[in-house]
Amino acid sequence: MNFRSIYSHGFARVAACTGHAAIADPPANAEAVLRQARQCARDGVAVAVFPELSLTGYSIEDLLLQDAVLDDVERALRTVVEGSAELLPVLLVGAPLRHRNRIYNCAVVVHRGRILGVAPKSYLPTYREFYEKRQIASGDDERGGTIRIGGTDVPFGTDLLFAAEDVPNLVLHAEICEDMWVPVPPSAEAALAGATVLANLSGSPITVGRAEDRKLLCRSASARCLAAYVYSAAGLGESTTDLSWDGQTLIYENGSLLAETERFAQGDQYAVADIDLDLLHQERQRMGTFDDNRRTHAARTGSFRQVDFHLGAPTSDFGLRRRVERFPFVPADAERLAQDCYEAYNIQVAGLQQRLGAIGGPKVVIGVSGGLDSTHALIVAARAMDRAGRPRSDILAYTMPGFATSDHTKTNAHKLMEALGVTATELDITATATLMLKEMGHPFSDGEPVYDVTFENVQAGLRTDYLFRLANQHGGIVLGTGDLSELALGWCTYGVGDQMSHYNVNSGVPKTLIQHLIRWVVSTGEFGDEAGKTLTAILDTEISPELVPGEEMQSTEDKIGPYALHDFTLFHVLRYGFRPSKIAFLAWHAWRDAEAGAWPPGFPASDHTAYDLAEIHHWLEYFCRRFFAFAQFKRSAMPNGPKVSAGGSLSPRGDWRAPSDGNARAWLRDLDRFEWPERTR
């Protein structure tokens, strides 16, 4: 098994192909199909989809009824079949075929020298510019049958699924053009029956606005069916007697556009993308209503026939033909990021406002360190008070310096509290922490520089203890500030510590998103220029717990690893349940080259970094040990707080329910399947 091969990690490469049609010239079109098929084979493509009636051209009208053309189609199809013998891809080729007393518009599924089956077009348009029923028979009632081609009977019908024996979850279904436009497409039933890759061989002449309609239908089909949808429309070369053609190709997966080609292009065009079959399978397992829907329609979905084939999937490194976000919680597209920040921020604000209103409008008690998390929680609280028509002075904000608190963070905390107009207080915990360590007999009280977990947690615990007692004293609730990433790693002090609060607005927000939320709030100007300057200064501060004294600031990421990698892993574990080896493969493609791909808007150029495979493996293993074998007990007792990201939450009442005494053995065994390079830093 080659770690660098997409076929080792649940992917299959697909292509939507179009080109220059030769009207009523099947031999020329067959050669064009094979030319493109050979290129697809060199690119490691498993499935190649061609346009509707690709062996004749779609726009030949009554020429479809000419025996000379139909005879040529049969010979051309034989050419394609023979030419495919040594090629990797499954070819879905459009052809008019004679069957009984009619002609059917068919998708012929060809692989390695044989025809696997033939799917006829179900629904024939006879409106506006279309008049297909004049020449073609509807195939909507063709199920369970065969068609004779070249002296051999092959499966024929709309009920065919084509399953690769050696590529788990690669199951194909073909429909043709208009089939996609009806209320209940054949592909919907096929998806319920098990198809994961839905192919549409399309003619589809172009008119103004139709390209967007196609994209809408392909996107929605892939989202509703939890499938990939591969669409190929006829291009130049089709007759322009009354129509024109744009050769649109699209590949969607679960509602996301993976690839498309230039429209109105000359010559061969390929949209190529790597479909994540694991992702589709996981989505179907998680979404129980998908299978409930199958049961509702079992009378038809249960009668689908499966045609098995052996793809002969390659083990070579063909790269990865899909975009992998470095920050899956943070889109690199500026417009989408702004929309996500608007929604995330307002989810938090609305959640806190509702909670405060439901429990009688108490004051909010919050610890403000000058770091990212408490800063964001504070501005969420300020906005919630504004929306509720309450004074911000009802926010009781405490900065609580300890043994290692820097002047920089403390100053930022004071500036922010002042700019927001909250009730600000400094409560130094140093003396109390010293007393506690002395009464415990800790070596630090005797002057020894022992900065162990007890030393750290005495400070974290005292801060939380003070906040809860202050809430008692002033009739308030403690607002939590810890984020989703810290909960994932268990990087929080349990019980009387930063793990606990009365309500936590940040519990659904990953560390990598928080800086962008603060940056977005600054851009809105809602808190004024002075607050904006301080928020910007806080964004430029190293992430640190500031618990251990010393000349150098204590760096969280030096100790527990880059949040960028941990959030990458968290997203794919929480959202899709991927194997760690697959996550490593995705992370390697996302992070190995700092110059490749897009970075989120506003992300500092100085922080553009790269991680090699050894570094990725090291921190992935660290994540698995902490996430699966250690931190769950902290999550099992986490306070209320709103789910924010579609990537998921870790609430035991929501997205993530797991035993507190679990282990990481299954995930570590998966990593052990591969050889990993040695880490050098």
Side-chain angles (χ1 to χ4, degrees):
M1 186 180 295
N2 180 4
F3 175 81
R4 288 175 166 79
S5 171
I6 58 171
Y7 291 98
S8 297
H9 298 287
F11 294 98
R13 181 161 295 174
V14 301
C17 308
T18 192
H20 193 284
I23 293 292
D25 191 353
N29 292 322
E31 287 304 318
V33 166
L34 287 174
R35 180 179 65 248
Q36 292 175 300
R38 286 189 285 270
Q39 180 59 50
C40 287
R42 288 190 288 270
D43 287 343
V45 169
V47 179
V49 180
F50 293 84
E52 180 178 10
L53 296 177
S54 44
L55 291 184
T56 60
Y58 172 78
S59 55
I60 68 172
E61 306 267 359
D62 284 353
L63 300 185
L64 277 173
L65 297 169
Q66 294 290 310
D67 281 339
V69 173
L70 294 170
D71 290 345
D72 263 0
V73 167
E74 293 179 6
R75 287 188 286 268
L77 186 55
R78 188 158 56 246
T79 298
V80 171
V81 172
E82 292 171 355
S84 73
E86 301 301 321
L87 300 180
L88 169 65
V90 178
L91 309 178
L92 284 75
V93 181
L97 297 178
R98 292 173 284 206
H99 183 53
R100 294 190 289 266
N101 300 312
R102 297 298 302 274
I103 298 169
Y104 288 83
N105 181 344
C106 299
V108 184
V109 183
V110 178
H111 187 240
R112 294 196 185 273
R114 70 186 180 107
I115 297 175
L116 301 180
V118 177
K121 187 172 184 175
S122 292
Y123 300 100
L124 307 181
T126 308
Y127 57 88
R128 295 199 295 271
E129 66 264 38
F130 301 107
Y131 201 17
E132 291 187 21
K133 286 187 179 179
R134 178 180 173 93
Q135 303 98 11
I136 301 295
S138 298
D140 59 312
D141 59 349
E142 293 290 345
R143 299 171 71 90
T146 61
I147 186 172
R148 194 162 185 82
I149 302 177
T152 302
D153 290 333
V154 298
F156 178 73
T158 61
D159 58 340
L160 296 176
L161 304 179
F162 303 92
E165 299 169 324
D166 57 330
V167 182
N169 302 314
L170 177 56
V171 184
L172 312 175
H173 176 265
E175 64 184 5
I176 301 175
C177 201
E178 185 74 11
D179 294 346
M180 177 177 73
W181 296 75
V182 300
V184 184
S187 57
E189 291 183 343
L192 292 175
T196 53
V197 178
L198 310 175
N200 188 294
L201 295 73
S202 181
S204 194
I206 187 62
T207 54
V208 173
R210 185 169 288 174
E212 283 304 308
D213 290 343
R214 296 175 190 146
K215 295 183 82 167
L216 174 64
L217 290 170
C218 292
R219 180 184 181 188
S220 62
S222 71
R224 284 184 294 100
C225 294
L226 303 180
Y229 202 91
V230 186
Y231 178 89
S232 178
L236 300 185
E238 294 285 358
S239 172
T240 57
T241 301
D242 289 302
L243 298 166
S244 192
W245 315 81
D246 67 336
Q248 186 173 30
T249 64
L250 302 164
I251 301 174
Y252 278 88
E253 174 193 278
N254 196 28
S256 297
L257 178 63
L258 299 187
E260 61 182 328
T261 53
E262 178 187 353
R263 296 165 55 218
F264 302 103
Q266 299 188 64
D268 296 344
Q269 291 287 304
Y270 313 82
V272 180
D274 294 333
I275 300 300
D276 194 337
L277 299 169
D278 287 346
L279 181 152
L280 299 174
H281 185 60
Q282 272 279 347
E283 288 290 80
R284 292 181 178 188
Q285 289 183 137
R286 289 163 183 266
M287 186 175 168
T289 50
F290 182 88
D291 197 60
D292 292 344
N293 194 225
R294 177 199 61 78
R295 291 167 53 245
T296 299
H297 297 278
R300 285 180 64 84
T301 61
S303 63
F304 269 74
R305 293 174 288 166
Q306 180 166 300
V307 179
D308 294 328
F309 66 94
H310 186 84
L311 180 68
T315 59
S316 306
D317 179 5
F318 289 101
L320 182 63
R321 296 282 192 94
R322 63 187 284 131
R323 177 176 174 173
V324 182
E325 293 274 11
R326 285 185 175 88
F327 299 96
F329 290 107
V330 185
D333 177 77
E335 185 177 347
R336 176 60 191 276
L337 177 58
Q339 176 68 18
D340 284 8
C341 288
Y342 163 80
E343 291 184 341
Y345 180 61
N346 282 286
I347 286 169
Q348 293 176 277
V349 170
L352 178 58
Q353 183 184 357
Q354 164 63 21
R355 176 53 58 94
L356 293 173
I359 58 177
K363 293 182 178 180
V364 169
V365 176
I366 182 173
V368 181
S369 68
L372 287 177
D373 292 349
S374 63
T375 292
H376 185 61
L378 180 59
I379 58 180
V380 166
R383 179 61 177 152
M385 288 298 182
D386 293 347
R387 282 173 50 121
R390 295 177 57 185
R392 293 183 190 169
S393 56
D394 279 356
I395 300 172
L396 311 183
Y398 295 86
T399 185
M400 294 180 281
F403 296 119
T405 301
S406 68
D407 290 338
H408 177 71
T409 55
K410 187 170 75 169
T411 298
N412 281 340
H414 278 290
K415 285 183 176 180
L416 182 62
M417 293 186 293
E418 180 181 356
L420 293 176
V422 302
T423 302
T425 305
E426 180 174 322
L427 198 166
D428 194 317
I429 66 165
T430 305
T432 309
T434 301
L435 176 62
M436 179 175 282
L437 290 167
K438 180 179 180 180
E439 291 182 339
M440 292 172 60
H442 190 276
F444 176 79
S445 62
D446 293 327
E448 296 183 36
V450 177
Y451 308 127
D452 56 8
V453 66
T454 303
F455 177 84
E456 294 186 352
N457 283 352
V458 159
Q459 297 171 77
L462 276 174
R463 288 179 173 127
T464 303
D465 199 359
Y466 270 122
L467 292 175
F468 272 94
R469 303 296 74 81
L470 289 163
N472 294 155
Q473 183 180 10
H474 298 289
I477 65 166
V478 176
L479 188 64
T481 62
D483 61 53
L484 183 70
S485 308
E486 293 174 344
L487 285 164
L489 295 168
W491 191 249
C492 50
T493 303
Y494 182 74
V496 184
D498 54 330
Q499 178 262 349
M500 188 49 62
S501 63
H502 289 116
Y503 192 76
N504 186 357
V505 292
N506 284 346
S507 60
V509 184
K511 184 77 77 177
T512 50
L513 179 58
I514 282 184
Q515 65 166 290
H516 296 280
L517 288 171
I518 296 173
R519 197 172 285 118
W520 178 83
V521 169
V522 172
S523 74
T524 67
E526 70 176 61
F527 293 120
D529 291 342
E530 284 305 311
K533 290 177 184 177
T534 303
L535 290 171
T536 301
I538 291 169
L539 285 169
D540 295 334
T541 302
E542 170 91 44
I543 299 171
S544 172
E546 294 193 329
L547 295 171
V548 175
E551 293 184 5
E552 292 187 11
M553 179 177 285
Q554 184 184 10
S555 170
T556 297
E557 292 185 296
D558 284 350
K559 187 166 185 177
I560 66 169
Y563 276 115
L565 290 182
H566 289 321
D567 279 1
F568 188 94
T569 301
L570 174 62
F571 179 89
H572 291 100
V573 164
L574 186 57
R575 181 66 181 84
Y576 297 121
F578 284 164
R579 301 173 186 86
S581 56
K582 177 171 184 152
I583 297 171
F585 177 79
L586 291 169
W588 180 60
H589 279 280
W591 284 99
R592 61 181 174 172
D593 182 358
E595 301 302 318
W599 291 82
F603 193 83
S606 59
D607 291 339
H608 290 193
T609 188
Y611 298 104
D612 60 24
L613 189 56
E615 192 85 353
I616 289 167
H617 169 256
H618 173 80
W619 292 116
L620 181 58
E621 183 177 301
Y622 179 89
F623 178 95
C624 289
R625 292 183 187 279
R626 287 194 71 101
F627 184 84
F628 293 107
F630 165 69
Q632 182 57 41
F633 78 99
K634 299 183 180 183
R635 298 189 290 265
S636 294
M638 64 181 280
N640 293 180
K643 176 180 176 179
V644 172
S645 169
S649 77
L650 288 171
S651 169
R653 301 165 295 277
D655 283 21
W656 186 256
R657 305 175 191 206
S660 294
D661 49 2
N663 64 77
R665 289 191 286 272
W667 294 268
L668 298 177
R669 279 194 295 268
D670 175 75
L671 285 174
D672 287 343
R673 295 185 303 131
F674 294 96
E675 294 291 329
W676 302 96
E678 290 293 325
R679 182 171 177 244
T680 57
R681 57 175 177 173

